[in-house]
Amino acid sequence: MNAPLPHAIARTLNADLPKLFQPGRVGDIEIANRVVMAPLTRSRADEAAGDVPGSEMNVEYYRQRAGAGLIISEGTQVAPAGKGYMATPGIYSDAQVEGWKRITDAVHAAGSKIVAQIWHVGRITHPALTGGLPPVAPSAVAPKGVVAYTHEGKVEVPVPHALTVAEIADVVDQYRRGAANAIRAGFDGVEIHGANGYLIDQFLRDGANQRTDAYGGSPENRARFALEVVDAVAAEIGAGRTGIRLSPVTPFNDLADSDPQAVFGHLVRELDLRGIAFIHWIEGATGGPRDVPGFDFAWARRAFRGSYIANNGYDRAMAIDAVASGRADAVAFGRLFIANPDLVQRLQRGAPLNAPNPQTFYTPGPAGYTDYPALAA
Ligand code: PHB
């Protein structure tokens, strides 16, 4: 028998590979595999230069992780008032766009795709982090037990300013400009941060939204701000490059809702009509238990025709099964990507994983950032 051609061998091997490791598509974005790097705050932008990303160290960090089919950037604030942590990068100034360009170029050169997670923290901040600007929110309700980490140490976050209708329109425009800047910076698209108790989530859930105007009350009204942001972003960069991250049941940042299925159900149906690229779901409590009641994620999978990106506590077997069964189109990993720059290769081979060290998640410098080892070649 003749020896098979090398490309024929490759094809056979490829067909045996779990679907998690096979190419796919998220909206208009073609991806080499269905392993996604989740957005991860690392607090290593240049604050003195104006919250600018793109240092050699930042570039190296993302380049090391370009084995992911899709990278979602760390949250990048669309305006100074949207910043909630030290040294998080922005996406509203020209210097920030130039910095991000160095990162997107490196990721593309390494063969991956990257979207920007555009972020406004709303009430989860303190004037010490925003250049003196007050935190803003749908209503003047402070989150309980939430502290901000500033250069002066831990401080309780104050009662936020309730946005007026005119101010809401300005913030929607900040997201629109953030999306336009993301494309200028070479990103393949945008993930709107609608999760984890930050501004969009504060409008969605009635634990923070006590408005009595068109932005509060009914599920339709509470979803209005989220959908205005989605519409502004999609009009700017295309629905096929627009996604959103949602966490309907997480208690993170002291946020809750009396009926998550009602408000997120309405939102999902509206997002489906708009044909956006993906919804990135935090299934359960952020970084915690997955079995939190209140929302039917299997229903959401059926109700939304774009890509379903699953996240929260997945391991190798769960991720392979989720994509093979069609329960998800892709699976996002956070902490495992911090500790394993070559996570996709390790998952593919079933190789052991490095353990993440929480002590260095947010510290300046390369320790715990660019020094996690890859597997020996
Ligand atoms: C964090 O910095 O701890 C953080 C930021 C954004 C999130 C969740 C956690 O969505």
Side-chain angles (χ1 to χ4, degrees), residues 53-72:
S55 68
E56 270 309 308
M57 181 181 75
N58 300 151
V59 170
E60 181 59 14
Y61 165 77
Y62 280 103
R63 191 204 331 266
Q64 287 174 346
R65 287 158 181 77
L70 178 66
I71 293 174
I72 302 170

Side-chain angles (χ1 to χ4, degrees), residues 43-375:
S43 289
R44 284 163 170 94
D46 187 341
E47 255 189 340
D51 298 329
V52 173
S55 68
E56 270 309 308
M57 181 181 75
N58 300 151
V59 170
E60 181 59 14
Y61 165 77
Y62 280 103
R63 191 204 331 266
Q64 287 174 346
R65 287 158 181 77
L70 178 66
I71 293 174
I72 302 170
S73 82
E74 64 204 279
T76 178
Q77 61 267 11
V78 296
K83 180 183 177 184
Y85 303 88
M86 286 187 282
T88 58
I91 193 150
Y92 51 86
S93 77
D94 288 341
Q96 291 161 351
V97 169
E98 289 308 307
W100 277 120
K101 198 160 192 342
R102 292 191 282 277
I103 291 169
T104 63
D105 282 347
V107 168
H108 289 148
S112 188
K113 301 291 168 70
I114 181 167
V115 299
Q117 194 202 45
I118 57 173
W119 191 19
H120 193 305
V121 298
R123 66 180 184 167
I124 308 297
T125 192
H126 185 279
L129 291 164
T130 59
L133 298 166
V136 299
S139 304
V141 180
K144 286 192 192 65
V146 175
V147 294
Y149 295 86
T150 73
H151 290 284
E152 286 75 51
K154 266 200 305 197
V155 286
E156 232 172 83
V157 310
V159 176
H161 163 69
L163 290 164
T164 65
V165 169
E167 288 166 343
I168 289 173
D170 290 341
V171 177
V172 170
D173 204 53
Q174 290 168 354
Y175 282 97
R176 182 190 61 72
R177 276 182 274 141
N181 284 341
I183 297 302
R184 274 211 294 144
F187 284 101
D188 298 287
V190 151
E191 172 175 285
I192 297 163
H193 194 344
N196 287 339
Y198 298 110
L199 184 60
I200 289 172
D201 206 16
Q202 289 159 28
F203 272 88
L204 287 168
R205 293 199 269 171
D206 56 17
N209 185 341
Q210 299 180 356
R211 298 178 75 97
T212 54
D213 63 2
Y215 292 92
S218 65
E220 290 76 9
N221 281 358
R222 282 183 280 129
R224 190 176 310 283
F225 177 65
L227 290 168
E228 286 181 356
V229 172
V230 169
D231 286 340
V233 168
E236 190 69 36
I237 70 169
R241 298 191 179 277
T242 302
I244 190 167
R245 192 174 203 218
L246 300 174
S247 56
V249 294
T250 193
F252 192 69
N253 281 325
D254 186 40
L255 199 47
D257 188 75
S258 55
D259 185 359
Q261 191 68 42
V263 63
F264 287 91
H266 168 71
L267 180 59
V268 167
R269 285 187 290 270
E270 290 294 320
L271 293 173
D272 179 65
L273 293 176
R274 284 159 172 81
I276 64 166
F278 66 90
I279 305 177
H280 178 186
W281 293 101
I282 299 173
E283 299 166 337
T286 310
R290 294 178 45 78
D291 58 341
V292 182
F295 186 73
D296 185 346
F297 290 97
W299 170 84
R301 201 313 181 239
R302 294 192 300 274
F304 177 71
R305 283 167 287 182
S307 293
Y308 183 112
I309 303 178
N311 175 241
N312 208 33
Y314 278 79
D315 63 17
R316 178 177 191 271
M318 287 165 68
I320 288 174
D321 179 68
V323 173
S325 68
R327 200 171 69 62
D329 295 299
V331 177
F333 296 87
R335 285 164 295 186
L336 290 182
F337 253 118
I338 290 180
N340 297 276
D342 54 349
L343 182 63
V344 175
Q345 261 182 290
R346 288 175 190 251
L347 293 176
Q348 231 180 84
R349 297 194 206 167
L353 302 177
N354 301 322
N357 174 12
Q359 300 301 318
T360 51
F361 282 179
Y362 309 111
T363 46
Y369 188 56
T370 50
D371 62 353
Y372 283 103
L375 287 172

